[in-house]
Amino acid sequence: PQNGGENAVNRRSGKKAKIRKKNPPKIVLNAIKTAQKVIIDYVNAENDMIEKGNYPTVKRLYAFLDRMVDTFHDSHKDVLQRIGIKNLIRDEFLYLENKD
């Protein structure tokens, strides 16, 4: 069937396709719940600061991002495996340097 959600059509028969919904694995649901909690905690903390007249800083944003990295440090490997990438040319980040 072609992608199209509820309106998906089988290419061969032209009839409406039956969509099978898979339940995500429990580990995925736990990761989503964890991510939601970390993000909600960050947003709530920033909203509290704003209400007190203080505004978010880059340092606080970086602390949040560091927490996300610590929490989900190897998740990219699971994603690569899921989409069929067996290995990377490099397992490091690539940076573009300005040549001033």
Side-chain angles (χ1 to χ4, degrees), residues 15 23 29 65 80 100:
K15 295 179 183 176
N23 291 329
L29 294 176
L65 294 174
L80 292 174
D100 293 340

Side-chain angles (χ1 to χ4, degrees), residues 29-98:
L29 294 176
N30 288 339
I32 291 170
K33 287 179 184 178
T34 301
Q36 286 175 332
K37 175 152 179 35
V38 172
I39 293 167
I40 289 169
D41 289 349
Y42 171 73
V43 170
N44 287 339
E46 294 304 315
N47 283 337
D48 289 345
M49 286 188 63
I50 292 169
E51 287 178 9
K52 294 175 184 173
N54 299 318
Y55 292 93
T57 64
V58 171
K59 287 182 179 182
R60 290 182 57 82
L61 173 63
Y62 288 156
F64 163 72
L65 294 174
D66 288 343
R67 182 172 177 207
M68 293 295 282
V69 168
D70 291 342
T71 304
F72 300 102
H73 62 281
D74 281 337
S75 294
H76 70 286
K77 293 177 184 176
D78 295 332
V79 172
L80 292 174
Q81 180 181 4
R82 181 178 175 275
I83 62 176
I85 296 176
K86 297 191 187 314
N87 58 22
L88 294 174
I89 295 171
R90 290 180 175 220
D91 200 24
E92 301 107 20
F93 292 102
L94 299 175
Y95 294 95
L96 176 64
E97 293 182 17
N98 290 330

